[in-house]
Amino acid sequence: MVAQAAYTKAIAFYERAIALKPDWPEALSNLGDALRQDGQIERAVDMQRAARILRPSDDNIRLRLANTLVEAGRFPEAEEIYRARLAETPNALAPRINLGNLFREQGRYDDAIASFEEALFRAPEGAHEAYGNMAAVLAERGWFAAAHVLNRKALAAKSVAPKILLNHGIVALTLGHLAEGWPAYEYRFELADSDEDYVAKRPSPPPYWRGEHLSGKSILLWTEQGLGDEIIYSSMIPDIVAQARACVIACSERLVPVF
């Protein structure tokens, strides 16, 4: 896959750089980030630690180490780094948001919301991130209406991350706001491929169907998220078949007899 090949190439590049200059903190940290995106979390932690030893006061390296520790499930150490950074610069947005997300990962929802509220107070320029992350916490707790309100606040910003847009789509669909939810749900294709919610868009040639009538046209339907979703959404297939001149279905092999 393209992204995987890019990470492999980046890793090889940074490894060559470090072989030439072993005490280069930027190269070590960049290697750690590439390894993290490639799923090599333990090696990534080692590289970020090595970079931090060489440049202990570098904020970017410290945050990269903490973020990688979170992915490794080493929450106490990551929390210590975030808190140390905030003790130095209380208005810093990134460590405040990351600390909230760390609490969310641990199921410490009240602490997560408090952290995002503090971010709203101290760094209002990052309100869309705070609102979006707070909405994600509320949605996980089943408070979808409140999450929907906060997501809408997040969407008022000029530039909104695809993750927030996707979460907004999921919440809107959960509440039955289909016209609002389906377009936002498309952002699952726009996430970084290291994100657990990322979905690869099938590389078939456009045009992709946008809901127009299919009279006289052929259409290909494909699966993307597993057997459960295939079965649930298959109830819509007869509506497509009734419209289209031809309908081809690409499904999981186990479901071929069913379909």
Side-chain angles (χ1 to χ4, degrees), residues 14 25 57 81 89 101 115 118 144 165 179 191 205 219 243 251:
Y14 291 125
S57 61
I81 294 172
T89 313
N101 285 329
S115 187
E118 188 74 8
F144 297 108
L165 289 160
L191 302 177
I219 187 169
Q243 280 191 36
C251 65

Side-chain angles (χ1 to χ4, degrees), residues 217-239:
K217 298 179 180 179
S218 299
I219 187 169
L220 168 66
L221 307 180
W222 71 85
T223 181
E224 62 179 45
Q225 294 183 38
L227 297 177
D229 282 351
E230 285 182 74
I231 293 169
I232 290 170
Y233 293 116
S234 65
S235 63
M236 296 186 287
I237 293 176
D239 295 335

Side-chain angles (χ1 to χ4, degrees), residues 75-242:
F75 299 122
E77 188 177 355
E79 181 177 346
E80 183 180 341
I81 294 172
Y82 291 141
R83 289 193 182 280
R85 176 75 176 88
L86 290 169
E88 297 167 1
T89 313
N91 293 340
L93 177 63
R96 185 80 62 184
I97 293 291
N98 290 348
L99 181 62
N101 285 329
L102 179 150
F103 292 145
R104 178 186 165 201
E105 285 279 328
Q106 294 177 288
R108 296 164 59 183
Y109 295 123
D110 290 341
D111 290 335
I113 290 174
S115 187
F116 297 139
E117 286 181 333
E118 188 74 8
L120 283 171
F121 172 72
R122 292 185 176 275
E125 72 280 0
H128 63 288
E129 288 189 64
Y131 281 132
N133 283 279
M134 201 182 306
V137 172
L138 294 177
E140 286 185 11
R141 301 191 74 175
W143 298 346
F144 297 108
H148 190 244
V149 171
L150 292 180
N151 273 329
R152 282 188 163 179
K153 284 183 174 291
L155 265 55
K158 291 182 179 178
S159 177
V160 181
K163 183 74 169 183
I164 293 175
L165 289 160
L166 173 61
N167 288 342
H168 170 64
I170 293 171
V171 169
L173 290 172
T174 301
L175 293 171
H177 304 321
L178 305 186
E180 183 180 6
W182 284 124
Y185 190 60
E186 290 289 299
Y187 281 90
R188 66 196 185 280
F189 300 122
E190 307 299 327
L191 302 177
D193 63 0
S194 56
D195 192 296
E196 62 181 6
D197 291 323
Y198 168 74
V199 175
K201 197 167 190 177
R202 186 185 177 98
S204 57
Y208 294 97
W209 186 47
R210 297 299 178 190
E212 67 275 13
H213 202 279
L214 294 168
S215 178
K217 298 179 180 179
S218 299
I219 187 169
L220 168 66
L221 307 180
W222 71 85
T223 181
E224 62 179 45
Q225 294 183 38
L227 297 177
D229 282 351
E230 285 182 74
I231 293 169
I232 290 170
Y233 293 116
S234 65
S235 63
M236 296 186 287
I237 293 176
D239 295 335
I240 302 297
V241 172

Side-chain angles (χ1 to χ4, degrees), residues 11 14-15 18 26-35 43 47:
I11 290 168
Y14 291 125
E15 286 177 336
I18 292 165
E26 288 89 349
L28 286 164
S29 184
N30 288 340
L31 173 58
D33 201 47
L35 289 166
R43 275 197 72 202
M47 293 303 107

